[in-house]
Amino acid sequence: MPYFLIFLPLISALVTYFGKFLGNKFSQVFSSFLITVSAVISVIIFYRGLVFNEYDNHIIFEWIRSGEFIANWSINIDPLSSVMLVVVTSVSAIVHIYSIGYMSSDPHKPRFMSYLSLFTFAMLTLVASDNFLQLFFGWEGVGLCSYLLIGFWYKRETANNAAIKAFIVNRIGDFGLAIGIFLIFYFFGTINYNEVFTLIPEFKSETIDFLGVKINLITVICFSLFIGAMGKSAQFLLHTWLPDAMEGPTPVSALIHAATMVTAGVFLVVKCSPIYEYSTQALNFVAVVGMITAIFAASIALVQNDIKKIIAYSTCSQLGYMFFAAGVGAYQVAMFHLFTHAFFKALLFLGAGSVIHAFNDEQDIRNMGGVWKKIPMTCALMLIGTLALTGFPFLSGFYSKDAIIEYAYISGTKVGSYAAFIGIITAFLTSVYSWRLFFKTFFGDYKGKEKIDTIHESPMVMLIPLMALSLGALFSGYIFKDLFIGLSSKFWQDSIFFLNLKDEHTVPLWFLLTTPILVTTAIPVSYFYFIKKPEILVSFKKTNYPLYNFLLNKWYIDELYESLIVRPIKKIGYFFWKKGDVGVIDRFGPDGVSRLIKNLSNKATKFQSGFIYDYAFVMLIGLSLLITYFIIK
Amino acid sequence: MNFPILSSIIFLPLLGALFIMIFKPKNNTGVVYISLFTSIANFFLSLFIWWSFDPLFDGFQFLEEKNWISGFIKFKLGIDGISVLFIVLTAFIAPICIISCVNSIKNRLREFLIAILILETFMIGVFCSLDLVIFYLFFEAGLIPMFLIIGIWGGKRRVYSAYKFFLYTLLGSVLMLVAIIAIYTLTGTTDVTQIYEIKIPIQYQNILWLAFFSSFAVKLPMWPVHTWLPDAHVEAPTAGSVILAAILLKMAGYGFLRFSIGMFPHGSEYFTPLVFTLSLIAILYTSLVALMQDDMKKLIAYSSVAHMGYVTLGIFTFTKQGIEGGMFQMISHGIISAALFLCVGVLYDRMQTRDIRSYGGVVNYLPKFSLIFIIFTLASLGLPGTTGFIGEFLVLVGTFTKNYLAAVLATFGVVLGAAYMLWLAKRVIFGKVTNESVTKLTDVNKSELAILAILALLTIGLGFYPNLILNTVDTSVNSLISNYQNNLASVEVNSR
């Protein structure tokens, strides 16, 4: 059965790509069907694991064997991967079906469906691996599909640039991940997860010497792996590709850049909890990066105007939450937030897609507003998504996000209390920017360019998938909280490792209430400032325009990279070519030698002029020199 | 086995060439069919050799030995797991070149095919020789047909490029010839297996290693003697570029494995830092240069230098993963670079320009071609699931066990590799159509599609099942490493 789970998406990808002649309808229905079957299988696998404890590692065949370096193609089902399988295949199935409606006017439907299925396959190999190399395969595979899908509309210059940017920034992350794998192989002699994890305790005080500095081995490994995670999960400094990735079609943003691929980094850290647990420094680093990203991305989301970019920064920020949860040692909570986030964020993105569809490809929220009566279904679904994201009590985000903040608080470390503090502030900011998005899109006056009559509700094929997701956004928190983060839950078994089980502190009541109260009060506050009295904000904007521009231009990080990295690299490349290869090596190498020989032979030919008096003259000089020599001697 | 199968595979193409020369078929189709038949027969012969080759046997197989100049030079042939793969690769690439040049070579097709067939003989000869003099003859003779291919059928600056190519390679080989004579005077033989046994005195190893190195470094090519390669590629016709990139460069990598490490272990050990430095410069420097190229062939040529940098890096780690990675990288690069040059050839045949700026939006008019081009772009940047990844990754794993810093720097080259290849694909395949003539292009025809599709399937197939190659070289690489280590150890004992 696991074979079907993994290979149905691959079959779907190949058949739809090479079966273009079978028609658009075929490709859409066929791929959606196969992925749905795959999703059903994943639920069965999850259930059987949960109830009958059926976890197993299926080895397909040996991939690489070079001395000790051995990797298998495998399907590893454990509690952690079974959760990921459910998330990936179910969101993927929903997105496949939604795409039938969303891409209805696109001429390249089979190609689109094929890429989506291929992505699903790559993501499944990533999460179902039993070794680091297959993880790397999936890791770069999803990066490839992300590249292909961001650049799906290849005629757009911006889409092409965004696609390349995504691939290259991810490559920088992969660079770290690769170094981590080299380190692991060098010291442990294996890249199989379980073999590595059992060896870790023996190496906990091992140090390595890099450029004369002695560093703890485990810490270095954790740092390297985390660079990979930062790239894939768009954490601070390596986040720049994610907002640009919104150039891709909206279903792609929902599937890849919200629910699944970007969470691979979190998955990696949780999967490697047996390694991270032995390095406090690395964990603190993870937590700090997570915190910075959470608040940084939320601050940018406050002022953006593109509906998809706001949600993209929101994703960035929520991933930050997951990382600092992992950083304070609450891996299961990070996974829980990953799980709930997949539903409500996919809902928000697909809802945004429905809005964009309704407005005939308008993405700027300044040109929207006042249409909630026109598109009530979309509005209601977006409302659910927004409530869930902001952590409104008893929706899914409430359980997972508040749990992160609580766990940070009770972790008892300095980093933990900072994380809790930043978590609360970010929760408030999240609420503000989410409601800003919601109110400006659906309420206030209509500010669209076209007549309001052109606004239309999306077809059912798009709305039904949204409803399915909204069920997840509403109830997934409540239903799964005991299973995933309950104190007595044995669900995770040994797929998540804790070095010291934390003794339970109780959280004071005021602390429990702070976040829900803040996020709820943000609703009327946002309504007041964004809809009722927007002029207050406009004047605030005017008095504080440096701050506003700083946020609007995303902290100027893209500009910084452009002038510090991209342009210098091009200059160096040009210098090496023109001055190095042409100016030095060729000039003094082959060209120099041939010029030298030419000059010498030119001189030599001048001696052979063919005139008798020349030769006679030379003879005379020679003779006189000889005579002189003998006389002096 | 009594049947001289290695001699057959070496001289079969030559026979085909002679047949064409003597019987002079009237029209070109006859010539094409004869040469195609010969090369495909040779390919099946090479597959047969691979099939009957015993990968677990430690030592040379299919040995053939004849006295040539009695008491001095023996005509000795034999192969191990390393050489058998190169023979298959050569025999595989040759028919592809012949098919690809039929449309693009307009004048003197007969002579061109003769040159290719003779070149095939020399190349396979290189991989089979177990005698230094025979090796030298094949190695250098290969220069001549290549020189002619560039010089006669090349582009505008073909004469300059041909001479540059000749000058560089000759310089290195003269030194190698001197070294071979020196080895003969030192050991009294030019038989490689005997030299392995006799062991060259330590005090001569460094200088002899350098002499061989100068020849191989030029051929590979390594920085800073790489500048002939971009020029040669740019001017050479498509088939010439394919052979140059796929096979000729590999002769040097093979030379390092068979001769430098085997005969001069101490020299190899001593000069490892030099090789590492030059390889790293090659990887980073040429990647940056590749980024700025406007000529498609030059870009791919520079990327070849970078990819061959991984090969030398891997070989000189003397680790299992490093050497196998280097081997795999050579085979993989043989396939991928051949395919990329064929792709450029497809565009060049239609547009008569290699300037990247005159393309853009090709995907709108050549969808099949674009898919294939993207596959090879991804393979070239080392995407897992293609051969490019396996070679690079194994090399880096091997390098890491020797030197952290070198591995970190080389891994960074992978980022640059993604940058220049994707940027190339973006400028050629995607984007808006800026040039009118792009809209008039026709997609790949059946024979072009067939060739490229075979290469693509091979790239992906070996990326998922690299053990096909790794198993073949396993025993040979093990014995290479253990011989190398025994040699180093035995002298340490002596010197105490």
Side-chain angles (χ1 to χ4, degrees):
Chain A
M1 201 152 66
Y3 291 86
F4 283 106
L5 170 68
I6 302 266
F7 289 110
L8 284 181
L10 181 64
I11 294 168
S12 159
L14 293 176
V15 170
T16 36
Y17 194 95
F18 292 104
K20 278 175 196 157
F21 53 87
L22 294 171
N24 291 335
K25 264 271 132 9
F26 170 80
S27 72
Q28 293 173 327
V29 174
F30 181 74
S31 58
S32 303
F33 175 72
L34 287 195
I35 305 292
T36 311
V37 171
S38 189
V40 171
I41 294 174
S42 76
V43 172
I44 295 172
I45 287 176
F46 175 78
Y47 178 78
R48 298 236 300 232
L50 186 64
V51 179
F52 305 111
N53 204 23
E54 270 181 31
Y55 295 118
D56 201 3
N57 185 17
H58 309 260
I59 289 170
I60 305 173
F61 64 88
E62 189 180 75
W63 181 15
I64 295 185
R65 172 185 289 272
S66 173
E68 307 265 285
F69 192 84
I70 301 165
N72 289 318
W73 291 111
S74 59
I75 307 174
N76 182 31
I77 309 285
D78 64 0
L80 187 61
S81 64
S82 71
V83 172
M84 289 300 286
L85 293 176
V86 170
V87 171
V88 173
T89 50
S90 58
V91 177
S92 176
I94 289 170
V95 167
H96 270 79
I97 297 168
Y98 177 90
S99 302
I100 298 177
Y102 190 82
M103 302 299 278
S104 57
S105 54
D106 195 276
H108 298 287
K109 295 181 195 85
R111 188 162 62 95
F112 184 76
M113 302 312 276
S114 164
Y115 288 170
L116 281 184
S117 297
L118 186 66
F119 166 79
T120 313
F121 168 71
M123 191 72 203
L124 291 176
T125 56
L126 191 163
V127 296
S129 166
D130 76 339
N131 62 67
F132 281 98
L133 203 67
Q134 188 186 329
L135 171 96
F136 195 78
F137 168 83
W139 196 265
E140 290 233 318
V142 293
L144 162 73
C145 298
S146 162
Y147 163 81
L148 292 172
L149 284 164
I150 295 170
F152 182 76
W153 287 315
Y154 50 76
K155 283 179 192 165
R156 281 195 204 164
E157 187 72 16
T158 46
N160 287 320
N161 288 338
I164 292 192
K165 187 173 176 184
F167 199 93
I168 299 207
V169 174
N170 268 302
R171 264 271 155 131
I172 294 170
D174 297 352
F175 161 79
L177 180 59
I179 301 281
I181 298 174
F182 302 153
L183 276 164
I184 286 169
F185 175 71
Y186 180 41
F187 285 95
F188 306 124
T190 171
I191 47 170
N192 183 287
Y193 287 141
N194 290 334
E195 291 169 19
V196 172
F197 294 159
T198 48
L199 286 170
I200 291 287
E202 295 170 30
F203 284 84
K204 66 181 172 195
S205 45
E206 188 91 6
T207 57
I208 65 164
D209 198 10
F210 186 74
L211 297 175
V213 187
K214 275 205 171 6
I215 324 170
N216 180 275
L217 171 68
I218 305 287
T219 306
V220 180
I221 292 178
C222 290
F223 270 108
S224 310
L225 296 178
F226 186 60
I227 291 173
M230 281 170 74
K232 194 104 303 183
S233 293
Q235 293 299 287
F236 185 60
L237 295 182
L238 291 181
H239 67 278
T240 54
W241 65 271
L242 185 61
D244 289 24
M246 296 302 128
E247 284 291 337
T250 307
V252 173
S253 313
L255 176 61
I256 301 187
H257 305 122
T260 54
M261 183 185 90
V262 287
T263 61
V266 182
F267 169 76
L268 176 69
V269 172
V270 175
K271 179 86 215 174
C272 294
S273 57
I275 311 181
Y276 278 90
E277 279 291 281
Y278 285 95
S279 172
T280 322
Q281 283 161 307
L283 277 180
N284 285 343
F285 184 71
V286 173
V288 169
V289 169
M291 278 189 265
I292 293 174
T293 313
I295 194 159
F296 153 84
S299 76
I300 295 176
L302 281 176
V303 299
Q304 296 300 310
N305 292 316
D306 183 315
I307 185 167
K308 285 181 73 183
K309 285 214 167 140
I310 299 174
I311 307 179
Y313 277 108
S314 161
T315 305
C316 225
S317 169
Q318 297 302 311
L319 290 165
Y321 269 106
M322 297 173 207
F323 275 114
F324 79 64
V328 297
Y331 305 102
Q332 79 281 28
V333 189
M335 280 309 290
F336 186 41
H337 195 52
L338 187 160
F339 182 75
T340 57
H341 175 257
F343 296 111
F344 61 70
K345 192 50 70 65
L347 173 62
L348 277 173
F349 259 122
L350 294 183
S354 180
V355 171
I356 295 167
H357 198 79
F359 277 89
N360 295 318
D361 297 331
E362 176 61 64
Q363 298 199 7
D364 194 325
I365 56 169
R366 285 171 300 188
N367 300 331
M368 297 180 179
V371 292
W372 65 276
K373 275 184 191 156
K374 280 273 180 190
I375 43 174
M377 285 302 294
T378 305
C379 179
L381 292 163
M382 283 291 276
L383 179 67
I384 294 173
T386 307
L387 286 170
L389 165 65
T390 55
F392 191 78
F394 312 115
L395 271 72
S396 59
F398 166 75
Y399 293 102
S400 57
K401 195 192 289 177
D402 284 20
I404 290 179
I405 296 168
E406 284 158 30
Y407 270 82
Y409 180 79
I410 60 171
S411 71
T413 58
K414 223 175 201 174
V415 178
S417 39
Y418 287 134
F421 178 64
I422 290 192
I424 293 172
I425 295 181
T426 309
F428 178 70
L429 293 179
T430 307
S431 196
V432 173
Y433 69 68
S434 304
W435 289 112
R436 169 175 176 263
L437 169 89
F438 183 76
F439 289 136
K440 287 191 108 171
T441 308
F442 295 105
F443 291 87
D445 302 325
Y446 177 73
K447 302 179 205 67
K449 286 172 193 148
E450 294 170 50
K451 284 208 178 97
I452 193 160
D453 298 334
T454 59
I455 309 296
H456 55 275
E457 184 63 280
S458 302
M460 283 319 267
V461 70
M462 287 167 71
L463 291 176
I464 290 172
L466 283 179
M467 289 169 201
L469 282 174
S470 70
L471 290 181
L474 286 170
F475 305 118
S476 66
Y478 178 74
I479 295 173
F480 290 99
K481 73 174 191 319
D482 290 329
L483 185 65
F484 284 1
I485 58 170
L487 295 179
S488 53
S489 169
K490 296 274 179 293
F491 172 69
W492 299 105
Q493 301 183 4
D494 50 4
S495 64
I496 294 178
F497 175 79
F498 300 99
L499 191 57
N500 322 304
L501 277 173
K502 309 231 161 42
D503 35 333
E504 299 303 332
H505 292 282
T506 41
V507 187
L509 189 65
W510 64 267
F511 189 84
L512 279 178
L513 292 177
T514 316
T515 324
I517 291 174
L518 270 177
V519 298
T520 318
T521 48
I523 304 173
V525 171
S526 309
Y527 188 75
F528 179 75
Y529 280 110
F530 293 119
I531 300 297
K532 280 281 167 210
K533 301 264 182 221
E535 55 277 5
I536 304 177
L537 280 181
V538 172
S539 65
F540 182 77
K541 209 187 282 179
K542 271 184 190 135
T543 47
N544 293 298
Y545 70 91
L547 176 69
Y548 176 73
N549 277 336
F550 182 68
L551 293 180
L552 189 67
N553 289 301
K554 309 145 198 168
W555 293 29
Y556 293 103
I557 287 177
D558 276 325
E559 285 75 7
L560 199 70
Y561 284 171
E562 176 72 25
S563 60
L564 279 185
I565 299 171
V566 179
R567 256 181 266 152
I569 278 189
K570 284 188 178 172
K571 267 190 195 144
I572 293 169
Y574 192 76
F575 176 83
F576 278 164
W577 178 28
K578 284 295 179 195
K579 300 285 176 208
D581 269 19
V582 180
V584 177
I585 297 174
D586 273 358
R587 187 157 159 237
F588 297 106
D591 294 357
V593 170
S594 62
R595 205 180 316 116
L596 187 72
I597 289 170
K598 202 172 162 192
N599 287 346
L600 283 180
S601 55
N602 271 344
K603 290 211 174 91
T605 46
K606 277 188 189 138
F607 279 111
Q608 298 151 26
S609 60
F611 296 112
I612 278 276
Y613 51 82
D614 272 356
Y615 299 136
F617 181 64
V618 174
M619 267 171 67
L620 201 66
I621 290 175
L623 196 65
S624 52
L625 281 176
L626 270 178
I627 293 168
T628 320
Y629 175 74
F630 280 113
I631 290 172
I632 290 170
K633 192 184 173 191
Chain B
M1 193 178 291
N2 295 324
F3 182 69
I5 193 161
L6 291 182
S7 298
S8 323
I9 196 170
I10 293 176
F11 292 111
L12 186 64
L14 190 65
L15 215 65
L18 284 176
F19 188 85
I20 297 173
M21 275 193 260
I22 293 166
F23 291 98
K24 292 200 177 97
K26 292 234 167 49
N27 52 3
N28 281 341
T29 12
V31 182
V32 171
Y33 279 121
I34 293 169
S35 45
L36 203 56
F37 176 77
T38 331
S39 60
I40 289 178
N42 219 33
F43 174 57
F44 281 111
L45 197 56
S46 77
L47 284 183
F48 174 73
I49 291 178
W50 193 14
W51 178 73
S52 49
F53 174 84
D54 177 11
L56 299 176
F57 178 80
D58 183 9
F60 292 98
Q61 307 180 29
F62 305 105
L63 280 173
E64 285 174 35
E65 200 168 341
K66 289 190 187 63
N67 271 337
W68 186 19
I69 302 172
S70 50
F72 175 45
I73 305 165
K74 282 179 291 186
F75 187 80
K76 186 172 180 182
L77 304 175
I79 53 170
D80 65 355
I82 296 171
S83 29
V84 71
L85 289 174
F86 286 112
I87 294 170
V88 176
L89 181 69
T90 312
F92 172 66
I93 294 291
I96 289 181
C97 285
I98 292 171
I99 298 171
S100 77
C101 72
V102 172
N103 293 325
S104 52
I105 301 292
K106 297 279 183 289
N107 60 333
R108 293 172 183 271
L109 182 64
R110 200 168 68 98
E111 285 77 3
F112 188 82
L113 291 174
I114 291 173
I116 295 228
L117 286 175
I118 294 179
L119 191 55
E120 186 182 357
T121 287
F122 293 149
M123 290 185 302
I124 296 180
V126 164
F127 299 124
C128 296
S129 312
L130 285 182
D131 187 286
L132 283 177
V133 178
I134 308 288
F135 166 77
Y136 182 79
L137 287 178
F138 281 130
F139 191 76
E140 294 311 320
L143 267 181
I144 301 163
M146 198 61 221
F147 175 75
L148 295 176
I149 287 174
I150 299 175
I152 297 175
W153 291 277
K156 284 196 191 89
R157 273 160 43 97
R158 56 177 182 266
V159 177
Y160 171 78
S161 299
Y163 275 101
K164 200 171 178 181
F165 167 69
F166 208 80
L167 203 68
Y168 258 122
T169 32
L170 203 66
L171 181 81
S173 27
V174 170
L175 293 172
M176 186 162 79
L177 182 63
V178 174
I180 290 173
I181 297 168
I183 290 173
Y184 180 70
T185 48
L186 283 171
T187 61
T189 178
T190 52
D191 182 332
V192 177
T193 43
Q194 283 185 25
I195 296 170
Y196 285 172
E197 300 295 318
I198 295 170
K199 295 189 176 89
I200 291 167
I202 274 194
Q203 62 268 35
Y204 300 111
Q205 283 204 5
N206 284 356
I207 186 94
L208 290 175
W209 185 91
L210 272 179
F212 272 76
F213 175 75
S214 63
S215 176
F216 295 150
V218 167
K219 257 291 182 357
L220 194 68
M222 293 178 82
W223 189 88
V225 284
H226 65 280
T227 59
W228 63 269
L229 187 73
D231 281 314
H233 269 312
V234 165
E235 299 307 325
T238 304
S241 287
V242 170
I243 290 200
L244 187 59
I247 318 288
L248 284 185
L249 306 187
K250 311 301 178 289
M251 299 193 332
Y254 173 76
F256 278 128
L257 286 169
R258 173 73 71 242
F259 302 103
S260 296
I261 295 182
M263 297 195 306
F264 323 117
H266 293 92
S268 306
E269 173 81 4
Y270 183 81
F271 284 110
T272 300
L274 174 74
V275 177
F276 265 42
T277 314
L278 294 184
S279 308
L280 286 175
I281 294 177
I283 292 170
L284 296 174
Y285 176 107
T286 48
S287 295
L288 287 168
V289 175
L291 202 56
M292 297 313 294
Q293 298 304 312
D294 290 322
D295 184 315
M296 283 192 264
K297 269 192 161 181
K298 255 193 177 166
L299 195 153
I300 299 167
Y302 274 112
S303 84
S304 289
V305 181
H307 283 133
M308 295 312 279
Y310 287 103
V311 172
T312 41
L313 197 64
I315 290 176
F316 280 84
T317 60
F318 312 114
T319 58
K320 176 94 171 160
Q321 289 82 25
I323 294 181
E324 291 198 349
M327 265 302 294
F328 201 94
Q329 174 81 343
M330 282 195 269
I331 303 290
S332 141
H333 180 257
I335 301 169
I336 297 170
S337 65
L340 281 172
F341 280 117
L342 287 170
C343 285
V344 175
V346 166
L347 288 179
Y348 186 78
D349 285 347
R350 289 162 173 72
M351 292 266 288
Q352 305 302 323
T353 174
R354 293 178 309 263
D355 193 333
I356 294 170
R357 287 164 296 190
S358 47
Y359 291 92
V362 168
V363 68
N364 295 305
Y365 302 94
L366 291 79
K368 286 178 204 155
F369 170 81
S370 300
L371 169 68
I372 285 168
F373 191 85
I374 293 293
I375 290 176
F376 290 115
T377 301
L378 295 169
S380 174
L381 63 80
L383 190 85
T386 66
T387 50
F389 169 72
I390 311 282
E392 267 175 14
F393 206 84
L394 284 177
V395 164
L396 292 171
V397 166
T399 311
F400 199 86
T401 58
K402 286 284 160 172
N403 187 329
Y404 298 149
L405 188 61
V408 171
L409 289 173
T411 312
F412 193 72
V414 178
V415 179
L416 293 174
Y420 63 71
M421 284 315 288
L422 287 182
W423 202 30
L424 169 72
K426 182 208 142 187
R427 287 180 293 171
V428 175
I429 302 291
F430 300 123
K432 285 201 187 76
V433 180
T434 48
N435 189 344
E436 258 304 287
S437 37
V438 170
T439 59
K440 297 187 189 79
L441 294 179
T442 49
D443 209 340
V444 280
N445 60 33
K446 272 188 190 139
S447 72
E448 288 167 334
L449 184 66
I451 293 176
L452 289 171
I454 290 170
L455 289 168
L457 286 178
L458 210 56
T459 313
I460 295 170
L462 287 176
F464 279 87
Y465 190 65
N467 280 350
L468 190 65
I469 286 179
L470 296 177
N471 288 342
T472 309
V473 296
D474 189 57
T475 314
S476 302
V477 170
N478 279 344
S479 74
L480 185 79
I481 296 172
S482 63
N483 284 341
Y484 168 79
Q485 281 165 349
N486 291 342
N487 271 331
L488 288 188
S490 66
V491 171
E492 268 165 36
V493 172
N494 288 348
S495 60
R496 268 177 210 157

